[in-house]
Amino acid sequence: RKMGAIFGRKFVRDDKIDGQGKQFLLFAKKINMQKYEVDRIYEVFFGLENKVTHLVDIKEMFHIYKRQYTLIASVILQVFDRSKTGQVNFMEFVLILWCFLATDEDELARLCFDIFDIYKSGSLDIGEIRYLVHAVWEFKPSKKCLSALKKLELNSDGIVSLPEFILLNRHHKELLKPLRRTKDQLRKKTVFTRYWKQLMWRRKEDFGSQSIFEITNRMDPSCVESSMEYLNLRTDIVPVHFVEQWNCIQRRKAQRGTLHQELPYEIREQIKPHPLNIHTKKTLRTMAKGMVTLSRFRRKSNAKRNSVVSIQDFSHGSTVHGEDSKDDLYDENSVSELDAKEDRFDPRDTQQPGPPKIVKPAPFDDSFLGSLKAPQYIV
């Protein structure tokens, strides 16, 4: 039996209601969400929505579930809430839950990283990472979290890439512990945990390591900038020095461009490949082919030269042939000629050697047969 097959309320398309028309059906098809899964979420939405406006207040939802509406949860809401009012329609409700609850540890870390990465450069300064982690902890981090942040100071370039942050989160679960706890609590209250795990596994199969912004086509930096502005305006929770440091980092980034110039070469090539490196594989393949040809030529010429020198030394030092030896064919002139031929080789000529020349055999000599030779007839 399919999960969520028994419920009371089913979703019906209604183009008159915002977020429940054709646009939502296209979104559900894009993320490969089945009909019974949509019905299961709609049952939750129908119990929370305002029957007049057909909107759900996210803050009120946390209050009904008796869960704390944390600062980082409100920041994530600002990214996907187009109206910026805290009230979402059914499509935005499904989008927020799917982006937050249908994630594993790595995707959750990537979601937080992408929110703070306004310029989409794939890297953040250590000050921005410190701001992110403190925001997750409501600016009251634990000792284990502070000890994990100290390891970032060992980074000499002062920049943390996305793979480094994901790896740090794997080794130190304490960094995003409050956000992970909120996710697990919402999974139990909204439908149930196994339902979201099934969506998480399907998301991995369908989209792999793509980010949420790439899947949902929400790469507009204004969405992320509005969420960061909301975070910076929460002066009742956010200390002033974090906001000032973040603004200083953004001004420095704006002066040197949208991309970090001090990034490692591999990250810069992934973000914006150099035009000369577009055909890098083809160039390397041609160079490797030329080096193989050159190495074969050198092995053959060195082997021939060594054999010539050894025969010459043997002929000069031999007591059998004496001074009148016929091995004078391998003299110094022949070796010098061979060296001259080798020096005339152009390494840029990487053409493969042609086929060997076919030498016709000499006619058969039958003089030793004498009278046994076949008679020759004169015509």
Side-chain angles (χ1 to χ4, degrees):
R1 186 176 60 186
K2 290 184 179 180
M3 225 174 24
I6 300 177
F7 44 82
R9 184 65 59 175
K10 293 185 178 180
F11 173 76
V12 180
R13 172 182 172 180
D14 190 352
D15 294 331
K16 296 181 181 180
I17 302 176
D18 187 20
Q20 299 185 22
K22 181 180 178 180
Q23 187 178 5
F24 170 74
L25 296 179
L26 294 176
F27 169 72
K29 182 179 180 180
K30 184 175 182 179
I31 63 176
N32 298 331
M33 184 173 284
Q34 305 297 327
K35 177 65 169 60
Y36 68 92
E37 296 171 344
V38 175
D39 294 338
R40 203 68 175 91
I41 299 180
Y42 182 74
E43 184 183 8
V44 178
F45 179 83
F46 186 80
L48 298 173
E49 71 171 347
N50 188 339
K51 305 308 178 186
V52 178
T53 60
H54 301 284
L55 299 176
V56 170
D57 192 344
I58 299 297
K59 189 174 183 179
E60 184 179 354
M61 183 186 74
F62 275 81
H63 180 70
I64 293 174
Y65 290 160
K66 297 180 180 180
R67 295 294 178 263
Q68 182 184 3
Y69 188 52
T70 59
L71 179 64
I72 192 65
S74 62
V75 172
I76 295 174
L77 170 65
Q78 292 292 323
V79 177
F80 302 101
D81 182 13
R82 294 182 178 179
S83 61
K84 310 302 178 186
T85 59
Q87 296 181 350
V88 295
N89 55 30
F90 180 60
M91 179 177 174
E92 294 173 344
F93 182 77
V94 174
L95 177 61
I96 292 171
L97 295 182
W98 187 79
C99 293
F100 183 51
L101 301 184
T103 56
D104 56 356
E105 297 295 330
D106 294 347
E107 289 298 330
L108 190 64
R110 182 168 186 169
L111 174 62
C112 299
F113 190 93
D114 290 339
I115 291 176
F116 279 75
D117 187 12
I118 294 178
Y119 295 107
K120 303 303 175 187
S121 60
S123 63
L124 293 176
D125 288 5
I126 294 180
E128 294 175 300
I129 295 293
R130 193 179 293 110
Y131 190 13
L132 189 159
V133 176
H134 279 75
V136 171
W137 279 88
E138 301 282 342
F139 298 93
K140 297 178 182 179
S142 61
K143 294 182 179 179
K144 292 183 179 180
C145 180
L146 293 176
S147 62
L149 287 176
K150 288 183 179 179
K151 294 186 177 182
L152 294 177
E153 299 177 358
L154 302 177
N155 205 347
S156 58
D157 56 358
I159 296 174
V160 180
S161 62
L162 177 58
E164 290 176 347
F165 181 71
I166 293 176
L167 188 62
L168 184 68
N169 182 54
R170 287 180 183 178
H171 290 284
H172 302 279
K173 303 286 187 180
E174 203 73 15
L175 290 177
L176 304 179
K177 183 178 179 180
L179 188 60
R180 192 185 312 110
R181 188 189 305 118
T182 303
K183 183 188 74 172
D184 295 339
Q185 292 172 355
L186 285 180
R187 276 182 171 183
K188 294 179 182 178
K189 293 293 183 177
T190 309
V191 195
F192 45 87
T193 304
R194 188 163 60 93
Y195 171 85
W196 295 109
K197 286 185 177 180
Q198 179 182 355
L199 293 181
M200 179 187 69
W201 296 330
R202 187 185 303 153
R203 175 181 171 178
K204 286 183 178 181
E205 294 176 357
D206 296 339
F207 301 103
S209 60
Q210 292 185 14
S211 66
I212 293 173
F213 300 96
E214 295 173 352
I215 298 171
T216 58
N217 290 334
R218 289 174 176 261
M219 298 298 292
D220 187 6
S222 62
C223 298
V224 180
E225 290 178 2
S226 62
S227 62
M228 292 305 301
E229 290 177 1
Y230 169 80
L231 178 61
N232 294 332
L233 291 175
R234 293 292 302 271
T235 54
D236 55 333
I237 302 176
V238 182
V240 180
H241 66 275
F242 278 101
V243 179
E244 293 178 351
Q245 184 182 14
W246 187 84
N247 291 330
C248 179
I249 293 173
Q250 302 310 313
R251 286 194 298 268
R252 188 170 68 248
K253 286 184 177 180
Q255 291 177 359
R256 64 189 181 191
T258 58
L259 300 178
H260 288 280
Q261 301 299 331
E262 295 85 359
L263 283 176
Y265 175 78
E266 296 81 4
I267 298 179
R268 283 191 280 111
E269 285 297 316
Q270 292 178 3
I271 297 171
K272 186 177 180 181
H274 196 273
L276 297 179
N277 296 342
I278 297 177
H279 305 289
T280 303
K281 292 184 179 180
K282 184 177 180 181
T283 305
L284 291 177
R285 195 182 300 113
T286 306
M287 292 176 59
K289 185 178 179 181
M291 293 300 295
V292 169
T293 306
L294 181 60
S295 62
R296 288 177 181 175
F297 176 83
R298 287 178 175 175
R299 284 199 299 268
K300 290 181 180 179
S301 60
N302 291 338
K304 188 174 182 180
R305 180 179 179 181
N306 294 337
S307 63
V308 169
V309 175
S310 61
I311 293 174
Q312 182 184 7
D313 295 342
F314 175 78
S315 62
H316 285 279
S318 176
T319 57
V320 178
H321 295 84
E323 296 180 355
D324 298 329
S325 176
K326 295 182 180 180
D327 292 334
D328 291 338
L329 175 65
Y330 304 99
D331 55 359
E332 295 181 359
N333 297 329
S334 62
V335 177
S336 61
E337 292 178 0
L338 183 63
D339 292 340
K341 292 181 180 180
E342 184 177 355
D343 293 337
R344 287 195 299 270
F345 173 72
D346 189 3
R348 293 174 295 179
D349 187 10
T350 58
Q351 297 181 356
Q352 295 288 349
K357 296 182 180 180
I358 301 176
V359 182
K360 295 183 179 180
F364 180 71
D365 186 11
D366 57 351
S367 59
F368 67 93
L369 294 177
S371 61
L372 297 179
K373 292 192 297 181
Q376 299 180 357
Y377 297 94
I378 302 175
V379 181

